[in-house]
Amino acid sequence: MKIKLPVQTKEIKNGAMVKTQSEQEFDLDMSIAAQIRFETKFPALAEREDLLGYSQRIFEINDLSLGLIISKLKMIYCWFDTEMGFNDFLKLFDLSDESYMKKLIKAMNDTFQIVADGSAEKN
């Protein structure tokens, strides 16, 4: 299943900052491979809980702190089948622009809802 997340880049043109928004498409993978990515990329987190449990716990928190946003990005990253490294994944997102961040958070919440609904159907 294809999921699109908003991405934003910034550059200086003629002495002014120019923001460019676009979408990046990712392949949502709700197979056991997502759990393996979680264990491989974030072993300390995976020692305490599985990816679905981590996802549910993180999305129950109603906060907009930078730490929580990064945690949500870790979780979303593991649900995506991508060759992109986590640091390169993070570079796609501009955490300094509040209006852009609202779009990103909505897209992450929508993605998690698809995961949660898919997991409820399996049980």
Side-chain angles (χ1 to χ4, degrees), residues 59-112:
F59 271 89
E60 286 176 358
I61 301 169
N62 292 320
D63 185 16
L64 291 180
S65 70
L66 182 59
L68 181 65
I69 292 168
I70 292 170
S71 293
K72 286 183 177 186
L73 286 168
K74 285 179 185 177
M75 181 273 307
I76 293 290
Y77 173 78
C78 291
W79 288 111
F80 290 154
D81 184 8
T82 180
E83 296 296 320
M84 184 181 300
F86 184 62
N87 285 338
D88 290 330
F89 179 74
L90 288 177
K91 290 177 184 178
L92 295 173
F93 311 108
D94 178 5
L95 302 183
S96 67
D97 183 327
E98 189 175 330
S99 64
Y100 163 75
M101 283 302 301
K102 289 179 182 178
K103 292 177 189 177
L104 176 61
I105 289 168
K106 181 183 180 331
M108 288 191 301
N109 288 340
D110 292 348
T111 301
F112 172 69

Side-chain angles (χ1 to χ4, degrees), residues 18 24 35 48 85 92:
V18 177
Q24 176 83 29
Q35 176 64 33
R48 293 179 273 163
L92 295 173

Side-chain angles (χ1 to χ4, degrees), residues 9-40:
T9 58
K10 293 180 184 177
E11 63 182 311
I12 303 295
K13 286 188 179 178
N14 299 320
M17 183 180 304
V18 177
K19 298 176 186 177
T20 305
Q21 289 190 11
S22 61
E23 291 184 326
Q24 176 83 29
E25 187 175 82
F26 294 95
D27 186 23
L28 182 63
D29 176 12
M30 296 189 296
S31 74
I32 193 70
Q35 176 64 33
I36 299 302
R37 281 189 293 277
F38 183 61
E39 292 173 4
T40 302

